Amino acid sequence: AQSVTQLGSHVSVSEGALVLLRCNYSSSVPPYLFWYVQYPNQGLQLLLKYTSAATLVKGINGFEAEFKKSETSFHLTKPSAHMSDAAEYFCAVSVVGADKIIFGKGTRLHILP
Amino acid sequence: DADVTQTPRNRITKTGKRIMLECSQTKGHDRMYWYRQDPGLGLRLIYYSFDVKDINKGEISDGYSVSRQAQAKFSLSLESAIPNQTALYFCATSDPTRFPYNEQFFGPGTRLTVL
């Protein structure tokens, strides 16, 4: 079975600072990994996804994530935070043949002026 | 644009009432899902459906039922609502023929309050 752990339910960074949201996964077979973002009062939208084509994945709004098999991690980063990045972020995992996707509990990102 | 829509967007109801949340999609996806979101608990799967005749329970199906009326429609019912079912409910779809499998496409959510 697959699982996802997101470290830190709340993360605060200053505007202009590096954003780092941590995600570790567990899977006995090669995973597909996703980051979703939920802006206030909205549904979830896909930020980026890892499909084994490249370990460094670039997404929307300047975010990227790196798949590290040895560390079973898929951390999300952005070099310079913007106020509009304030949202909740969800990491998720799936595998070939699975009938559903497994979500982490989410990390709420706060941007300090 | 192909989309996932949910009605109503907000609903306040009383304990013991029956309520139905509806989800429609124009993406042509076979798979549909219902999740609830609670602060600190993330997204939890209630039910999912692979087609009209294939309905499966998720991790928290007690107190809920679903109906897949057509490929494009998937409804969630609370037969007798209780206050701890107050939450944000999301419908999602996925295309099993599209790589990577199980990528989810979400509706805007329904905020349900049970008094």
Side-chain angles (χ1 to χ4, degrees), chain A residues 18-33:
Chain A
L18 172 72
V19 175
L20 171 60
L21 303 183
R22 299 178 186 273
C23 172
N24 288 90
Y25 70 91
S26 174
S27 176
S28 58
V29 297
Y32 304 124
L33 294 159

Side-chain angles (χ1 to χ4, degrees), chain A residues 23-86:
Chain A
C23 172
N24 288 90
Y25 70 91
S26 174
S27 176
S28 58
V29 297
Y32 304 124
L33 294 159
F34 307 84
W35 275 101
Y36 284 84
V37 60
Q38 183 184 23
Y39 297 106
N41 300 312
Q42 295 186 26
L44 280 76
Q45 65 182 88
L46 184 70
L47 200 55
L48 50 79
K49 58 190 174 187
Y50 167 74
T51 61
S52 76
T55 56
L56 183 62
V57 181
K58 296 187 184 297
I60 61 173
N61 300 333
F63 284 92
E64 62 182 35
E66 186 172 8
F67 173 73
K68 292 187 176 181
K69 183 178 178 180
S70 61
E71 298 177 8
T72 62
S73 68
F74 191 57
H75 301 332
L76 183 70
T77 61
K78 182 174 180 178
S80 178
H82 191 272
M83 296 299 290
S84 61
D85 295 326

Side-chain angles (χ1 to χ4, degrees), chain B residues 38-49:
Chain B
D38 300 275
L41 298 180
L43 289 165
R44 293 182 291 169
L45 184 62
I46 306 172
Y47 272 95
Y48 59 105
S49 169

Side-chain angles (χ1 to χ4, degrees), chain B:
Chain B
D1 263 350
D3 215 345
V4 183
T5 57
Q6 293 183 233
T7 55
R9 293 293 312 277
N10 289 281
R11 180 73 183 266
I12 300 174
T13 191
K14 294 182 178 180
T15 297
K17 293 292 188 182
R18 183 180 188 276
I19 185 167
M20 179 181 288
L21 309 182
E22 299 186 336
C23 176
S24 295
Q25 54 115 345
T26 57
K27 290 187 169 296
H29 291 173
D30 286 331
R31 297 186 175 185
M32 298 186 74
Y33 307 78
W34 275 105
Y35 296 90
R36 67 175 279 175
Q37 183 183 16
D38 300 275
L41 298 180
L43 289 165
R44 293 182 291 169
L45 184 62
I46 306 172
Y47 272 95
Y48 59 105
S49 169
F50 288 175
D51 64 37
V52 174
K53 296 182 180 180
D54 187 354
I55 306 288
N56 303 278
K57 292 183 177 180
E59 58 182 297
I60 55 162
S61 59
D62 287 349
Y64 301 94
S65 62
V66 291
S67 173
R68 184 82 183 265
Q69 300 94 327
Q71 188 212 31
K73 296 184 182 297
F74 191 35
S75 300
L76 177 71
S77 293
L78 287 68
E79 296 300 326
S80 180
I82 56 177
N84 76 1
Q85 291 177 314
T86 293
L88 189 54
Y89 290 85
F90 286 105
C91 175
T93 71
S94 72
D95 180 352
T97 66
R98 173 181 167 146
F99 182 79
Y101 312 109
N102 293 318
E103 177 180 345
Q104 309 270 290
F105 297 84
F106 284 87
T110 294
R111 185 168 297 281
L112 176 66
T113 303
V114 183
L115 301 176

